[in-house]
Amino acid sequence: MGTTGADAPPARGAARPRNRRGQGGNLRTDILAAATDLLDRGDQRAVTLRAVARRAGISAPSIYPHFPGRSAIVLAVVHEAFLELNGLLRSAVDDAHDADRRLYAACLAYLDYAAAHPERYRAMFGELPAGQGVSSPGAGTLRILADTLAQCVTAGQSTSTDPRSDAIALWLGLHGLAHQRAIAHAFPWPADLVRPFVASLSRLGRPGATALP
């Protein structure tokens, strides 16, 4: 069935049709989508109330019932980005079989996300409003890495005695690698860098445990 004019989404920058009663959540979603689009195309400086309103096809004052200001929008975008990242990590883990392969898959998914969305990823770890850190969604990322590493220990594939601490070290390593890859394009990064990198930080010691899928 074809899309009617009433069902078609508004063009970027066009006046947005008024929500029916009870559909205010749609406007919040549109605001976040507009802000995320601006961020992906530029950087955090591109996310202004005026620019977000223009891209969402609304007036700037229409934002205030949903967000008190620009910082709140950026924070919401960051939270949504972490939720998206965590979903990708879980999918990667679920698609692999052995515990060590699940851990590698999660790490590769993490690095792929950072490479695919560099500005969004930078915002996830950038300066946020005071008291508004990434503890909740960020804790989810750490939990996935720690739980998957703990499964490697249980399976005899890792010698870690503190999976959570080693998962923190692994996350810091992944973040550093993602950041350096983003800014040092000319550096001759080894094609097989991730395998020994993850194995070392995760204390993977079983023969063959470092074989990537």
Side-chain angles (χ1 to χ4, degrees):
M1 180 181 296
T3 301
T4 66
D7 294 329
R12 292 295 185 189
R16 185 183 186 280
R18 193 180 188 86
N19 278 316
R20 290 188 295 242
R21 186 182 299 275
Q23 291 186 328
N26 292 343
L27 179 52
R28 185 182 190 279
T29 299
D30 290 347
I31 293 170
L32 285 180
T36 301
D37 191 36
L38 287 166
L39 179 61
D40 285 343
R41 292 169 180 267
D43 55 34
Q44 282 201 52
R45 292 171 297 181
V47 183
T48 65
L49 292 180
R50 181 174 296 179
V52 170
R54 184 184 308 115
R55 187 160 292 273
I58 60 177
S59 64
S62 299
I63 293 175
Y64 291 111
H66 304 276
F67 299 98
R70 175 190 176 279
S71 294
I73 295 176
V74 172
L75 180 62
V77 169
V78 165
H79 275 253
E80 289 293 324
F82 266 109
L83 293 176
E84 181 181 18
L85 171 61
N86 294 346
L88 292 173
L89 296 188
R90 292 190 190 95
S91 294
V93 168
D94 291 342
D95 288 343
H97 296 290
D98 295 337
D100 53 354
R101 288 179 182 270
R102 288 196 289 270
L103 183 61
Y104 281 122
C107 293
L108 290 174
Y110 184 100
L111 293 171
D112 287 345
Y113 183 85
H117 308 288
E119 292 301 332
R120 196 183 314 179
Y121 181 80
R122 186 174 292 112
M124 291 163 69
F125 295 94
E127 184 177 349
L128 295 172
Q132 299 291 331
V134 297
S135 58
S136 179
T141 305
L142 175 59
R143 184 163 53 250
I144 293 169
L145 293 176
D147 288 349
T148 309
L149 179 52
Q151 293 170 14
C152 293
V153 174
T154 300
Q157 298 168 351
S158 170
T159 59
S160 173
T161 58
D162 189 347
R164 189 176 188 280
S165 293
D166 286 334
I168 292 174
L170 176 60
W171 189 7
L172 290 173
L174 289 171
H175 178 63
L177 178 56
H179 176 71
Q180 290 303 313
R181 279 180 167 180
I183 64 174
H185 301 286
F187 187 81
W189 297 102
D192 200 24
L193 175 64
V194 178
R195 178 170 60 87
F197 170 83
V198 173
S200 176
L201 290 175
S202 305
R203 304 178 190 272
L204 292 175
R206 187 192 70 170
T210 58
L212 284 171

